[in-house]
Amino acid sequence: MKFEARGLTRTLFTIGVMLAGSALAFCGFYVARGDAKLFNKSSQVIIARDGNRTNITMVSDYQGNIKDFAVVVPVPVVLERADIRVIDPAVVQKLDAYSAPRLVEYFDEDPCRQLVYPSAAPTSANAGSVEQKSVKPVDALGVTIEAQYAVGEYDIVILSATQSNGLETWLKENKYNIPTGASTALAPYIKMGMKFFVAKVNLENFDKTGFSSLRPLQMSFESQNFMLPLRLGMLNAKGDQDLIVYALSRKGRVESANYSTVNVPSNTEVPEYIQQDFNKFYPALFKRAYERENKKAVFVEYAWNSSWCDPCAGTPPTLEELQTAGAGWAGQSGQVFVTRLHVRYGKLRFKEDLMLRETPNNQNFQGRYVIRHVWKGTASCQAAENYNANLPKRLETQAQVLANLTGWKIEDIRKRMGIR
């Protein structure tokens, strides 16, 4: 029997054009110079957690004719220069390809060979930089510049503030066009005593990197809170946004601590034509699952020990790549467990930041969809006649399952499958 597993090597952002916006955001909000309009719909983040040490890698896939932009992210402490770095985007691409929802193909053999059919169920870098760190006096707006760094193609300022409208005014006075409602969104973080990591692109340094897009920006810090700030990311969004989180931990799965965490529907047999329509199928499946959870759940798309996979959509990340992604313990003491979380969030339903927790759950899971290619030979035995007699029922079951997963009309599915 011939078996082949095929992974989807593109990010969900790339697969589903309908999920994409004009910018792929960090866990903050975009600000732009002048009258530029920036809207973010989807983002990718790597978060590695070891004790109270957190490494967050923010992936930028910015799109649009914007010559200069910045991102604002709340952080619990003033970061040192050594806590900030840029990394090779290939590391993120590797994690994505390794953990992405995928198709698995099986090919029906000649029934007359009387083989036992297997089940469709699964088997078990820092750039050169110049540091400037000096705390400037609090100005009349209540804003303090705690530190300034140049890291690769980014100019970074760490700010503290005593009032949200003062911080908003400071950003505007420094020629940033702040999204409407920024002051209100910033206020809770100021009340918590958080600092603000502001990074913008230094175009001259970017030209020297030789990269065609911005490299991921990584920050490290100590904090008892294991969280991602979603609320700021809603400021310059039109409608719901999608966040893909690659969570790296020692013990097991990472889950949401303040929202329901569920597995995405998986291990189902779908019609053959989905092989060509996966970029329509999976977004529709996710939307349906999201709505069935009342638009409030966090979905697990992948959970596995990084040392292996079965089947593999992409090559597992190396120890060096895992270390670069923030799992400094990789290869030294303990496993690196990878959890891929997919969050679709909006202002009305996700009113809190995403709080996370590491669990001891080592159960493997992957978003996985099975295609069984039909045997098309000539019946020459009773087994072949039985196979052909049962085939309409099997195809109808696939059609019904697909309609249930996606909400697509059963008549349209049957037409695509060539059945009545």
Side-chain angles (χ1 to χ4, degrees), residues 325-382:
W329 68 91
Q332 300 173 9
S333 55
Q335 67 175 356
V336 178
F337 199 89
V338 178
T339 309
R340 179 184 176 120
L341 300 174
H342 186 164
V343 188
R344 178 167 292 176
Y345 61 98
K347 296 178 183 178
L348 298 180
R349 292 176 176 82
F350 276 74
K351 297 182 179 181
E352 300 177 358
D353 289 326
L354 181 62
M355 306 302 296
L356 299 170
R357 65 185 174 199
E358 182 181 6
T359 75
N361 183 357
N362 286 133
Q363 183 178 6
N364 297 323
F365 174 81
Q366 54 184 242
R368 171 181 190 276
Y369 310 94
V370 179
I371 290 177
R372 286 176 61 193
H373 293 283
V374 174
W375 173 73
K376 299 184 183 300
T378 302
S380 59
C381 66
Q382 186 60 47

Side-chain angles (χ1 to χ4, degrees), residues 73-81 83-84 132-136 143-149 155-161 167 170 194-199 219:
V73 182
V75 291
V77 296
V78 176
L79 303 184
E80 300 290 335
R81 169 60 187 82
D83 297 325
I84 308 167
Q132 302 175 17
K133 184 173 181 181
S134 60
V135 177
K136 295 186 177 181
V143 176
T144 301
I145 299 176
E146 301 284 355
Q148 299 181 72
Y149 310 112
D155 288 336
I156 294 166
V157 180
I158 311 293
L159 303 174
S160 60
L167 179 56
W170 186 94
M194 298 189 77
K195 314 305 178 184
F196 296 90
F197 177 100
V198 182
M219 62 177 72

